[in-house]
Amino acid sequence: MTILLGVDTGGTYTDAVLLRDEEEVIASAKALTTRHDLSIGVGAAVRAVLAEAEIPPEDVSLASLSTTLATNALVEGQGGRVALVYIGFKERDLDAHGLREALRGEPYIVLAGGHD
């Protein structure tokens, strides 16, 4: 049995979910996102989901963290300078998907690699 932990830090809430064998959701939990220190909200969500499932942390085989905070800040024009690290695509895709325009002159780098 493989236990996977997924955490998503959003603008208001940080969500955590535990999956068994990549198929079954065995627990989910929420905590408030703490923008001043994301580790507080992430830690609260992780502790809550582990407690709900009654699973010790050492039983988790893989943890994955995602966030929409950076995307939201870019779209809303908030925050400091940004750069795009574009992995596994071609430079021409920047124009095809409107990314060069969205970056408005901010730096980017295109790297070889893969994704699925």
Side-chain angles (χ1 to χ4, degrees), residues 65-78:
L65 175 66
S66 65
T67 180
T68 57
L69 288 176
T71 304
N72 292 347
L74 179 64
V75 169
E76 295 166 3
Q78 298 178 356

Side-chain angles (χ1 to χ4, degrees), residues 1-5 18-21 26 50 53-63:
M1 172 176 70
T2 301
I3 303 294
L4 308 175
L5 168 66
L18 287 173
L19 300 171
R20 178 179 292 124
D21 298 326
I26 56 175
L50 291 172
E54 298 179 349
I55 290 178
E58 57 270 16
D59 285 359
V60 174
S61 300
L62 175 82

Side-chain angles (χ1 to χ4, degrees), residues 33-111:
T33 295
T34 49
R35 290 179 180 244
H36 68 283
D37 184 346
L38 294 179
S39 68
I40 296 169
V42 169
V46 169
R47 283 189 298 278
V49 79
L50 291 172
E52 180 183 322
E54 298 179 349
I55 290 178
E58 57 270 16
D59 285 359
V60 174
S61 300
L62 175 82
S64 176
L65 175 66
S66 65
T67 180
T68 57
L69 288 176
T71 304
N72 292 347
L74 179 64
V75 169
E76 295 166 3
Q78 298 178 356
R81 293 194 69 201
V82 298
L84 172 66
V85 179
Y86 207 46
I87 303 172
F89 293 95
K90 305 288 185 210
E91 186 157 349
R92 68 177 179 263
D93 294 331
L94 289 169
D95 294 315
H97 299 289
L99 294 172
R100 194 180 315 267
E101 182 181 335
L103 285 168
R104 296 183 214 131
E106 297 291 348
Y108 67 89
I109 185 171
V110 179
L111 301 173

